């Protein structure tokens, strides 16, 4: 049995055929248009300017509307300086767009400068502009009719204290607390009535205390024991201070005996009647205190008046003090004054020490003992690390880095060997003597378009370190990449550097970072004190910020 294959013939109308053709043609045209390559154009409004004038460098990019375009940013136009990068102007037409960006550039040194080609990134692919030669001429200055003045000196400004560290407030609070304590200890306090009476001479104090006893309510409240106890204590204290006999610890008979002996010896000119009157009052006081006797109120009042009279009589009976006694009294008062002042000073010192210790403990608790110790020892490095840093471009070919301060241009004298091999050399450096931190850059344009000799440059830097007093130099080497991925070489190690004082040695570290290509070389040299944690952070921050341009 044979199987027969049937063929069916399909006829497509002519109109549909042309429709498919047209559809394929349009798709082809669309794909061709969509795959059209982007174009990059650049131009400047002028190539001749005077010092300080600006040129406008315009970059125009035409690409698909879906393309991602990245223009150069920062100081990528070195040796020209970027004054301002204007906003990108965008124009769209169908599925294409035109981006236009203008940069204002300038230069403050006369000469001819090559504006390097700029990389425009479109969808991850790099497109470069043309390089241009810009001529910068000097300005003619009228030195005949114009009057010139000296450059004004630098003016110091106060540091911005908007954000003060915690330990500043601890120190401020400690000082305020110490001040309050000292004021409290040494201030002239208003004296109470008791203190004012205590400062009076014995005679005046006794009379004042007797007046105060008269105004008391002891007799009204029938507190005779308290009344007579204070009465006898007043007169006994007076006799002990002014007559110089041990009256407070003596019995009535012993005290009367002492007074009679002083009378007989001529040391106290007092009559027998006064002594007997005083003896009778003391016996009455003993009966009240020990036998709970209750005399009449009038009798108690009379005894107080009698004691006042006895104090007055006794004062009159005391011979005038001799000059030696007066001097002894003055010396005693001066000694007591010095003793009181010494006591106050000891109290103030102890209080101040306590406040300082408390403030130190609070600072250690907040920051940690390591941070506090490092802040006290490595304060200059800490100030540099926490201060305002400067990001700049140095030399040509440029070296970009961020440092605690501006690197200053150094005058360079080329050696005989360098004169034959080097066409131009630009050196910038920064040195802080407080923490022996040194940062330097060197940009060299070779006389011939050859690869630089890294080893020769490394040997030259190490020799320079040795000439400056470095000893025991240890060297290591590894590959290095800049912030933008430019490959280089890093040589680092440790050494013993000369200190600030003569004969002093400091353990330190160094690093040499080199880049280069045909006809040029870039170099960064760093040195710092070993063991300084803040210096280590400074160096790491500088190294991580290093970037170079490798086009001459």
């Amino acid at each position: 049995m044979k199987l027969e294959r049937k063929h069916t013939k399909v006829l497509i109308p002519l109109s549909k055929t042309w429709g498919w053709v047209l559809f394929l043609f349009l798709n082809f045209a669309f794909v061709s248009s969509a795959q059209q390559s982007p174009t990059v154009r650049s131009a400047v409004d002028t190539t001749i300017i005077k010092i300080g004038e600006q040129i406008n460098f315009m970059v125009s990019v035409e690409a698909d509307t879906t393309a991602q375009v990245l223009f150069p940013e920062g100081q990528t136009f070195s040796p020209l300086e970027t004054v301002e990068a204007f906003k990108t102007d965008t124009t769209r037409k169908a599925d294409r767009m035109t981006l236009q960006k203008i940069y204002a550039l300038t230069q403050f040194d006369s000469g001819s400068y090559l504006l390097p080609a700029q990389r425009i990134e479109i969808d991850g692919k790099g497109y470069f502009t043309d390089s241009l030669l810009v001529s910068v001429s000097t300005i003619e200055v009228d030195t005949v009719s114009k009057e010139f003045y000296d450059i004004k000196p630098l003016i110091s400004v106060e540091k911005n204290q908007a954000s003060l560290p915690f330990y500043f407030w601890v120190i401020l609070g400690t000082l305020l607390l110490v001040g309050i304590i000292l004021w409290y200890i040494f201030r002239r306090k208003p004296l109470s009535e008791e203190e004012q009476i205590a400062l009076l001479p014995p005679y005046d104090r006794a009379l004042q205390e007797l007046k105060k006893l008269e105004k008391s309510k002891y007799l009204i409240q029938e507190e005779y024991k308290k009344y007579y106890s204070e009465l006898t204590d007043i007169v006994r204290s007076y006799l002990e201070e002014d007559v110089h006999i041990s009256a407070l610890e003596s019995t009535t008979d012993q005290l009367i005996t002492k007074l009679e002996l002083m009378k007989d010896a001529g040391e106290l000119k007092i009559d027998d009647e006064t002594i007997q009157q005083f003896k009778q009052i003391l016996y009455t006081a003993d009966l009240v205190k020990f036998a709970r006797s209750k005399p009449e109120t009038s009798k108690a009042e009379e005894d107080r008046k009698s004691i006042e009279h006895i104090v007055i009589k006794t004062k009159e009976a005391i011979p005038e003090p001799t000059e030696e006694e007066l001097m002894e009294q003055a010396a005693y008062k001066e000694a007591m004054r010095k003793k009181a002042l010494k006591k106050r000073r000891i109290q103030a010192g102890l209080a101040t020490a306590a406040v300082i210790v408390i403030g130190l403990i609070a600072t250690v608790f907040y920051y940690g003992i390591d941070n506090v110790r490092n802040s006290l020892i490595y304060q200059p490095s800490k100030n540099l690390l926490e201060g305002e840093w400067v990001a700049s471009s140095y030399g040509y070919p440029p070296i970009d880095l961020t440092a605690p301060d501006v690197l200053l241009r150094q005058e360079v004298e080329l050696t005989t060997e360098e004169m034959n091999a080097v066409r131009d050399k630009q050196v910038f450096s920064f040195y802080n003597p407080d923490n022996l931190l040194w940062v330097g850059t060197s940009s060299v344009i070779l006389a011939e378009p050859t690869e630089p000799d890294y080893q020769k440059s490394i040997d030259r830097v190490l020799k320079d370190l040795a000439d400056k007093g470095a000893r025991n130099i240890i060297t290591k080497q590894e590959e290095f990449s800049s912030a933008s991925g430019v490959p280089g070489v890093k040589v680092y190690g440790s050494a013993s550097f000369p200190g600030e004082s003569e004969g002093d040695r400091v353990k330190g570290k160094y690093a040499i970072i080199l880049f280069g290509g045909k006809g040029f070389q870039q170099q960064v040299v760093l040195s710092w004190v070993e063991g300084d944690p803040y210096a280590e952070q400074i160096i790491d921050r500088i190294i991580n910020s290093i970037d170079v341009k490798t086009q001459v």
Side-chain angles (χ1 to χ4, degrees), residues 158-166 168-169 388:
E158 295 183 0
K159 185 179 179 181
N160 182 12
Q161 302 292 340
S163 178
L164 296 172
F166 171 76
F168 172 84
W169 298 112
E388 295 183 3

Side-chain angles (χ1 to χ4, degrees), residues 189-436:
K189 297 176 284 187
L191 301 177
S192 63
E193 184 180 357
E194 289 78 8
E195 291 174 333
Q196 291 176 358
I197 293 174
L199 292 175
L200 293 173
Y203 172 72
D204 295 331
R205 184 167 68 251
L207 294 181
Q208 285 281 355
E209 289 175 344
L210 289 172
K211 294 292 183 184
K212 185 178 178 182
L213 181 62
E214 181 184 5
K215 297 176 181 178
S216 69
K217 297 181 180 180
Y218 292 145
L219 298 180
I220 298 174
Q221 297 173 353
E222 295 186 354
E223 294 180 348
Y224 295 103
K225 183 177 181 178
K226 290 184 179 179
Y227 180 85
Y228 273 95
S229 293
E230 286 196 18
L231 180 64
T232 55
D233 285 345
I234 290 170
V235 68
R236 283 173 180 269
S237 296
Y238 166 70
L239 291 174
E240 187 149 329
E241 291 186 65
D242 237 4
V243 183
H244 305 297
I245 59 175
S246 55
L248 290 172
E249 298 178 357
S250 301
T251 64
T252 298
D253 292 336
Q254 290 173 343
L255 180 57
I256 296 301
T257 301
K258 291 176 182 178
L259 290 174
E260 289 175 345
L261 289 174
M262 291 184 70
K263 172 183 171 297
D264 295 340
E267 297 177 3
L268 188 66
K269 298 177 182 180
I270 190 170
D271 54 66
D272 292 334
E273 183 181 352
T274 302
I275 293 176
Q276 291 303 316
Q277 186 183 15
F278 181 41
K279 180 179 180 180
Q280 187 61 43
I281 294 172
L282 291 177
Y283 279 143
T284 303
D286 290 342
L287 290 173
V288 172
K289 289 188 289 183
F290 303 113
R292 297 184 180 180
S293 174
K294 292 185 178 180
E296 296 292 332
T297 303
S298 58
K299 177 70 170 65
E301 283 283 351
E302 188 66 29
D303 286 345
R304 188 200 61 76
K305 291 179 181 178
S306 298
I307 288 294
E308 185 177 345
H309 180 71
I310 291 170
V311 169
I312 294 172
K313 283 274 191 180
T314 305
K315 177 66 176 176
E316 294 174 351
I318 298 173
E320 291 294 327
T322 62
E323 186 176 352
E324 291 181 359
E325 291 175 339
L326 291 174
M327 291 180 65
E328 287 179 0
Q329 293 177 5
Y332 175 77
K333 290 180 180 180
E334 179 64 19
M336 294 301 295
R337 186 189 69 80
K338 290 182 177 180
K339 184 178 180 181
L341 183 59
K342 183 180 180 180
K343 183 179 179 181
R344 286 187 175 185
R345 287 175 177 172
I346 292 173
Q347 290 175 344
L350 293 175
T352 303
V355 171
I356 292 173
V357 169
I358 292 171
L360 183 61
I361 291 173
T363 306
V364 170
F365 180 78
Y366 186 86
Y367 285 108
I369 188 169
D370 291 335
N371 288 333
V372 173
R373 184 183 67 248
N374 292 336
S375 296
L376 294 175
I377 298 174
Y378 304 114
Q379 185 64 29
S381 298
K382 190 172 187 292
N383 291 338
L384 283 179
L385 179 63
E386 296 176 352
E388 295 183 3
W389 283 49
V390 179
S392 187
S393 181
Y394 300 98
Y396 183 74
I399 301 174
D400 297 340
L401 58 80
T402 304
D405 206 341
V406 178
L407 277 62
L408 301 179
R409 184 187 293 270
Q410 305 297 318
E411 295 294 332
V412 179
E413 293 185 4
L414 299 177
T415 63
T416 306
E417 180 183 357
E418 289 179 327
M419 287 181 181
N420 298 326
V422 174
R423 191 174 70 187
D424 186 26
K425 184 176 183 180
Q426 300 177 37
V427 176
F428 297 81
S429 67
F430 158 74
Y431 177 69
N432 187 291
D434 294 332
N435 63 347
L436 307 179

Side-chain angles (χ1 to χ4, degrees), residues 5 11 24 29 146 153 185 202 263 292 298 378 400 486 490 514 518 542:
R5 188 176 291 176
L11 298 177
L24 292 173
K146 300 292 183 182
I185 293 175
K263 172 183 171 297
R292 297 184 180 180
S298 58
Y378 304 114
D400 297 340
V486 178
K490 179 182 177 182
L514 303 105
K518 289 186 177 181
I542 294 173

Side-chain angles (χ1 to χ4, degrees), residues 16-34:
K16 290 185 177 181
T17 302
W18 281 107
W20 281 103
V21 173
L22 181 61
F23 175 78
L24 292 173
F25 175 79
L26 291 175
N27 272 279
F28 178 79
F30 175 79
V31 172
S32 299
S33 175

